[in-house]
């Protein structure tokens, strides 16, 4: 009888301890469950690769004022919004346009000089001959180390911007020519597009 009495007392104490422990841990457990649930929902609803792309944007390398100016330009297509953009800024804008694959935006910021075809032909040629190359370029240079005007070749209305990326022991530099037109530094890239078209037709 004594043994049974002791066992029931121990059992009662254990039961009380368990209840107290559960009460003190319940809010923490609930919080943990919410966090786990949230994390799982994030994993289900979004691809990790897509999350990374959302975080990085060439536009975010610009000042907030210029990001807003470009957003206005994108919706209204008013070149005045780009008057204050430096050649380096315009290269970042160009790389952004490549990253989203928008030939209409690229057309707007491409130096014409009487050489550009109409918008429809430009769009058709871009999708057919250029887009794959440009997508690779946009991805390749997102980790760029430096972007600067090549002062040794700079002229009043014509400059070359060098953008450099280093991966391990390898360094790549891309040189992009820009010319001043309509009070905006525009990318002189149509000769490059023509090169892609010519290569494809051989």
């Amino acid at each position: 009888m004594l043994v049974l009495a002791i066992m029931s007392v121990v059992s009662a104490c254990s039961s009380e301890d368990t209840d107290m422990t559960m009460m003190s841990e319940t809010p923490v457990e609930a919080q943990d469950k919410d966090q786990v649930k949230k994390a799982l929902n994030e994993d289900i609803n979004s691809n990790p690769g897509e999350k990374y792309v959302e975080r990085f944007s060439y536009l975010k390398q610009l000042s907030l004022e210029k990001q807003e100016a470009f957003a206005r330009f994108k919706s209204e297509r008013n070149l005045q919004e780009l008057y204050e953009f430096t050649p380096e800024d315009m290269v970042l804008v160009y790389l952004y346009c490549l990253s989203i694959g928008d030939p209409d935006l690229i057309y707007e910021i491409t130096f014409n000089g009487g050489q550009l075809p109409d918008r429809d032909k430009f769009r058709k040629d871009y999708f057919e001959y250029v887009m794959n190359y440009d997508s690779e370029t946009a991805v390749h240079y997102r980790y760029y180390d430096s972007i600067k005007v090549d002062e040794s070749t700079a002229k009043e209305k014509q400059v070359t911007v060098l953008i450099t990326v280093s991966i391990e022991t390898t360094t790549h530099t891309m040189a992009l020519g820009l010319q001043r037109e309509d009070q905006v530094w525009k990318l002189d890239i149509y000769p490059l597009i023509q090169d892609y078209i010519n290569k494809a037709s051989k």
Side-chain angles (χ1 to χ4, degrees):
M1 287 288 290
L2 182 61
V3 173
L4 285 172
I6 291 171
M7 283 181 67
S8 64
V9 169
V10 169
S11 176
C13 290
S14 300
S15 177
E16 285 170 15
D17 286 349
T18 303
D19 289 345
M20 287 175 63
T21 305
M22 283 177 67
M23 285 174 63
S24 64
E25 284 184 2
T26 297
V28 177
E29 285 176 354
Q31 192 175 14
D32 286 346
K33 283 177 183 172
D34 286 343
Q35 287 172 352
V36 170
K37 192 174 178 182
K38 185 179 175 187
L40 286 172
N41 285 338
E42 285 175 359
D43 286 344
I44 291 165
N45 295 331
S46 62
N47 182 310
E50 288 174 357
K51 281 172 71 177
Y52 179 78
V53 172
E54 286 171 11
R55 280 200 303 271
F56 178 84
S57 170
Y58 283 104
L59 291 185
K60 289 182 181 177
Q61 315 308 306
L62 302 172
S63 68
L64 186 58
E65 185 181 351
K66 287 181 177 176
Q67 288 179 48
E68 291 169 353
F70 181 77
R72 291 191 297 271
F73 165 73
K74 191 176 174 184
S75 63
E76 300 164 13
R77 304 300 163 100
N78 182 356
L79 284 172
Q80 287 184 349
E81 298 291 351
L82 305 180
Y83 282 0
E84 300 303 316
F85 282 51
T86 67
E88 296 95 330
D89 293 337
M90 289 306 296
V91 167
L92 292 173
V93 164
Y94 169 64
L95 288 168
Y96 165 77
C97 295
L98 300 191
S99 72
I100 63 170
D102 189 330
D104 292 326
L105 272 178
I106 295 168
Y107 188 86
E108 294 286 345
I109 62 169
T110 297
F111 175 72
N112 189 332
Q115 64 181 335
L116 281 185
D118 63 57
R119 189 184 302 274
D120 289 339
K121 179 168 174 27
F122 183 91
R123 186 189 299 112
K124 180 179 178 295
D125 288 345
Y126 184 82
F127 282 129
E128 191 168 346
Y129 302 107
V130 186
M131 189 172 181
N132 288 341
Y133 296 104
D134 279 357
S135 298
E136 289 175 12
T137 299
V139 170
H140 186 72
Y141 284 93
R142 73 190 186 278
Y143 296 123
Y144 72 92
D145 301 308
S146 67
I147 180 168
K148 61 184 178 182
V149 169
D150 180 359
E151 297 294 348
S152 65
T153 61
K155 298 177 183 175
E156 186 183 351
K157 292 191 175 183
Q158 190 173 350
V159 297
T160 300
V161 171
L162 306 174
I163 182 165
T164 302
V165 62
S166 299
I167 302 167
E168 299 294 344
T169 57
T170 307
T171 298
H172 294 273
T173 296
M174 178 170 62
L176 289 166
L178 294 93
Q179 294 200 51
R180 193 87 171 158
E181 185 178 60
D182 303 324
Q183 300 183 59
V184 174
W185 285 107
K186 293 188 179 181
L187 281 294
D188 192 4
I189 55 164
Y190 193 62
L192 181 61
I193 292 173
Q194 288 177 309
D195 283 346
Y196 289 138
I197 294 170
N198 292 337
K199 283 177 188 173
S201 61
K202 284 181 181 177

